[in-house]
Amino acid sequence: MDVLNLAELLLSPDEKDELHNSMELLKQSDHSAFYEKNQSIIQSILFLETLEEFLDFSKENELDAECFCAAFLCAHGYGIQIGGYEDDLTHTLTEFFHTQGIEYPEISEIVHREKIYTDCSDYDNFKKSMTAINQVLDSHGMRLIVLEDYIYCDCEYTVLRVDKTLAENVLSTWSSENFEVYL
């Protein structure tokens, strides 16, 4: 399983159609139409602000399908993307858990106990915090999957909320050249 397979399991039929239509535009090299349809997602991945910048990028590079798919999932409310050098994720995680309906006191305590940060090294406490949060979520039949990639940034985390059974399936069958899965 990779990010594309995971998206197939998470997305609604209309969202799947939207993703497939976007991927088809990309496959056909219709970069202008792809950009117009996915401008905010492209900006979140590549930090390109205009169509011209994306067209320049597309002349020599191909947008990674898994990266696009991970950002697509986040844009549709299935997760959040977190950069590799974040100083304080308290607000970001609190907001995410609120929108996901995951507002358990034990999770709030973990998120507010200390500043949660990432620095793409062994010294960050992000993964440790996510592990503690997953211990709470396990008793509620859900889990966070954390995907890490290094394609366009030093590292980028995609955090997705899934049910516990799906999380176990993802962990046991994961096979991606671009993303490492944690938790």
Side-chain angles (χ1 to χ4, degrees):
M1 179 175 305
D2 62 13
V3 179
L4 300 168
N5 303 124
L6 181 57
E8 289 291 322
L9 298 173
L10 293 175
L11 295 172
S12 72
D14 288 343
E15 292 166 332
K16 285 181 196 176
D17 287 344
E18 183 182 344
L19 176 63
H20 290 277
N21 290 338
S22 290
M23 298 299 281
E24 191 60 32
L25 290 172
L26 195 58
K27 184 178 175 182
Q28 295 171 354
S29 297
D30 191 345
H31 300 295
S32 295
F34 178 81
Y35 181 84
E36 292 304 317
K37 185 176 182 83
N38 299 289
Q39 183 175 354
S40 64
I41 295 173
I42 292 167
Q43 289 172 348
S44 75
I45 300 169
L46 300 172
F47 307 104
L48 301 176
E49 297 295 324
T50 66
L51 171 60
E52 290 74 28
E53 289 176 321
F54 182 64
L55 293 175
D56 275 350
F57 168 85
S58 299
K59 286 178 187 172
E60 296 180 23
N61 302 287
E62 188 173 314
L63 181 63
D64 181 77
E66 280 192 285
C67 283
F68 173 73
C69 193
F72 185 92
L73 285 168
C74 293
H76 285 79
Y78 294 92
I80 57 171
Q81 291 188 305
I82 296 172
Y85 296 97
E86 299 287 334
D87 287 335
D88 186 359
L89 292 167
T90 304
H91 177 73
T92 302
L93 292 173
T94 301
E95 179 81 16
F96 173 66
F97 293 134
H98 174 73
T99 60
Q100 294 291 315
I102 306 172
E103 298 181 276
Y104 305 113
E106 308 96 285
I107 291 177
S108 182
E109 180 183 316
I110 294 166
V111 171
H112 291 90
R113 183 180 315 148
E114 62 182 335
K115 272 186 7 182
I116 298 174
Y117 62 94
T118 63
D119 69 4
C120 292
S121 75
D122 294 334
Y123 301 110
D124 73 16
N125 66 348
F126 175 67
K127 292 175 190 167
K128 179 183 86 170
S129 299
M130 295 296 101
T131 299
I133 290 168
N134 266 342
Q135 290 172 347
V136 174
L137 291 176
D138 272 347
S139 64
H140 297 282
M142 62 185 97
R143 192 174 279 174
L144 300 176
I145 292 177
V146 179
L147 305 174
E148 182 177 7
D149 79 86
Y150 294 87
I151 296 176
Y152 299 114
C153 297
D154 211 4
C155 69
E156 174 94 5
Y157 297 103
T158 301
V159 180
L160 303 169
R161 183 192 66 82
V162 298
D163 71 46
K164 187 177 175 179
T165 304
L166 179 56
E168 291 167 357
N169 182 26
V170 168
L171 289 172
S172 68
T173 62
W174 193 254
S175 176
S176 169
E177 293 181 20
N178 302 323
F179 286 81
E180 289 186 46
V181 67
Y182 294 95
L183 310 170

